[in-house]
Amino acid sequence: MATTTAPVHPVDEVPPVRQLAAFGLQHVLAMYAGAVAVPLIVGGAMKLSPADLAYLITADLLVCGIATLIQCVGLWRFGVRLPIMQGCTFAAVSPMVLIGTTGGGLPAIYGSVIVAGLAILLLAPVFGRLLRFFPPLVTGTVILIIGLSLLPVAGNWAAGGAGAKDFGEPKNLALAAFVLAVVIGVQRFAPAYLARIAVLTGIAVGLAVAVPFGFTDFGGVADADWLGISTPFHFGTPTFHVSAIVSMLVVALVTMTETTGDLIAVGEMTGRAVEPRSLADGLRADGLSTVLGGVFNTFPYTAYAQNVGLVGMTRVRSRWVVAAAGGILVLLGLLPKLGAVVAAIPAPVLGGAGLVMFGTVAASGLRTLATVDFKGNNNLTVVAVSVAIGLLPVGVPTVYGKFPDWFQTVMNSGISAGCLTAIVLNLLFNHLPAKAGSTPATVPTEAGPA
């Protein structure tokens, strides 16, 4: 007698090895530039030697991979078990530069990072219980802000990369436009199996075109070591300074808010809604990864919004694909020469792919907002003000330059600023008792995440 097996959710499906490798590499390329940017910025500001900078990057890639595996595969109560890539958070850059240059160097940074990771571990269950304050009105707004706030990153890549001597040259934008056209063409006209790796195909074709036109510089590949292993506390025993710890605890709250938005977004895209328990498990993985970062000479970790867009665009929902990407990152961290090859991909090539990926995130937010009732209530005001506050630091990066450091840490991240605004306004309009004669919020607004 034939036995029937329970259907496997798309999140838990394991594609063939060939597809795992291709889809996984696609995720790595989508987040690689962002992943190495944090150690480059912090190390550069501290005037570290090229050898120390290279060490920071390989350590970062190694822990990125481990953090991604914990988040996707899961380990007891650690990991949301969704297709989520982990990487160093940009919210920590300014505080870490300040700590590193004036407050005790790398040992002080790593001491504060370890404490922040432990704090995230303790606070994860509390954040899990806050999920009821993330109805579609809030989640759709946050996902929209995530996508819109990432678009300038893609724009900088398309123009040649921030700080590049040829920034904005027509040839850079032409290469980015060519890659964008390839991605769209593959998605529209190629067979289904190829359409799913449209971004990887676009990057590969873009790289093939970039080489003969002199866009690439593989000089760093020859200089890179074949093998690099990050050892605990390479830069010295961590030191614990109160001011450094306080600023990193603020960063921890910001990254928890951002990760919550990303996890809910991926839950909606994959059809596996994030519950309070799974949200707490995902945040706990963030905390564990951040502690590992402090031990293995790298920085705080969070979910990467770049890859949220890739999940939405390719509709490949398997968490094992992203786990494969984590495995590739571990290899890149152990084999610096491989990492140098990936690093040689020109910024305009990544920019062309980034435009469509990050735009997909924003479009996913609009799709979620389409389920919200905007008639006879103040929901439009919630979205309008939240998007405005969220995009303010994106459009005017120095707008909060005269404010205290802790305020800048929270508000300079458009994602956390917009998310906090959306939560507060939703509470104000839809949870507090209605004033006399006003129309109460309708049921769809208060439904749980789709």
Side-chain angles (χ1 to χ4, degrees):
M1 188 175 74
T3 57
T4 57
T5 56
V8 178
H9 192 282
V11 167
D12 298 318
E13 283 180 352
V14 183
V17 173
R18 185 178 60 186
Q19 290 184 10
L20 271 178
F23 294 155
L25 180 59
Q26 189 169 237
H27 273 284
V28 170
L29 295 178
M31 61 82 70
Y32 188 90
V36 300
V38 175
L40 279 174
I41 294 168
V42 176
M46 295 177 64
K47 297 181 170 54
L48 297 183
S49 68
D52 282 345
L53 269 178
Y55 192 96
L56 280 182
I57 290 170
T58 53
D60 173 35
L61 292 173
L62 176 64
V63 181
C64 268
I66 294 169
T68 299
L69 286 168
I70 294 170
Q71 192 69 276
C72 294
V73 178
L75 179 69
W76 187 53
R77 293 299 304 278
F78 296 88
V80 72
R81 294 169 173 82
L82 286 172
I84 287 281
M85 288 290 287
Q86 297 284 105
C88 280
T89 174
F90 281 86
V93 169
S94 296
M96 289 192 302
V97 167
L98 198 64
I99 297 165
T101 54
T102 65
L106 284 171
I109 290 177
Y110 294 137
S112 63
V113 167
I114 290 170
V115 173
L118 294 172
I120 293 172
L121 283 169
L122 292 173
L123 290 172
V126 177
F127 258 71
R129 288 195 288 271
L130 296 178
L131 199 59
R132 65 193 181 92
F133 298 118
F134 286 86
L137 173 65
V138 173
T139 59
T141 303
V142 172
I143 297 167
L144 175 61
I145 293 169
I146 290 171
L148 294 178
S149 63
L150 284 171
L151 285 173
V153 175
N156 277 321
W157 287 345
K165 291 179 181 177
D166 61 349
F167 187 85
E169 288 280 347
K171 64 174 185 177
N172 291 336
L173 293 166
L175 178 58
F178 171 72
V179 172
L180 176 60
V182 170
V183 172
I184 293 171
V186 169
Q187 211 173 6
R188 174 63 182 86
F189 299 108
Y193 72 90
L194 198 58
R196 289 183 170 183
I197 53 169
V199 170
L200 179 60
T201 306
I203 290 173
V205 173
L207 183 60
V209 170
V211 171
F213 284 97
F215 280 92
T216 50
D217 177 14
F218 289 102
V221 178
D223 299 333
D225 295 327
W226 278 106
L227 186 65
I229 298 174
S230 180
T231 53
F233 309 127
H234 174 79
F235 294 100
T237 306
T239 57
F240 300 92
H241 300 251
V242 174
S243 58
I245 289 170
V246 169
S247 63
M248 206 54 69
L249 287 175
V250 175
V251 169
L253 291 173
V254 172
T255 57
M256 290 180 82
T257 306
E258 291 184 352
T259 297
T260 298
D262 289 332
L263 296 185
I264 292 171
V266 170
E268 292 190 357
M269 287 177 181
T270 57
R272 176 175 281 176
V274 173
E275 305 292 341
R277 174 170 171 150
S278 55
L279 173 60
D281 291 349
L283 293 171
R284 223 177 262 115
D286 261 17
L288 177 59
S289 304
T290 298
V291 172
L292 289 176
V295 172
F296 285 94
N297 322 293
T298 178
F299 307 114
Y301 284 85
T302 188
Y304 255 32
Q306 292 94 312
N307 300 86
V308 175
L310 192 55
V311 171
M313 181 191 153
T314 62
R315 296 188 290 280
V316 176
R317 296 183 278 176
S318 171
R319 60 191 171 106
W320 298 104
V321 163
V322 180
I328 294 170
L329 284 172
V330 170
L331 276 179
L332 293 175
L334 295 174
L335 304 171
K337 206 173 275 291
L338 271 182
V341 172
V342 177
I345 296 173
V349 172
L350 295 173
L355 285 169
V356 66
M357 285 192 302
F358 304 161
T360 300
V361 180
S364 298
L366 291 176
R367 183 175 61 191
T368 301
L369 287 172
T371 66
V372 175
D373 186 358
F374 287 99
K375 294 177 181 177
N377 54 42
N378 296 294
N379 289 341
L380 200 62
T381 302
V382 175
V383 176
V385 177
S386 302
V387 171
I389 298 295
L391 294 186
L392 195 58
V394 176
V396 190
T398 57
V399 67
Y400 300 120
K402 304 292 185 186
F403 284 75
D405 290 336
W406 67 267
F407 186 89
Q408 291 187 50
T409 300
V410 176
M411 298 303 290
N412 275 344
S413 164
I415 297 170
S416 66
C419 185
L420 291 172
T421 305
I423 292 169
V424 171
L425 291 180
N426 178 55
L427 288 173
L428 178 66
F429 286 116
N430 295 325
H431 284 264
L432 292 181
K435 61 187 178 183
S438 67
T439 306
T442 51
V443 172
T445 308
E446 291 302 309

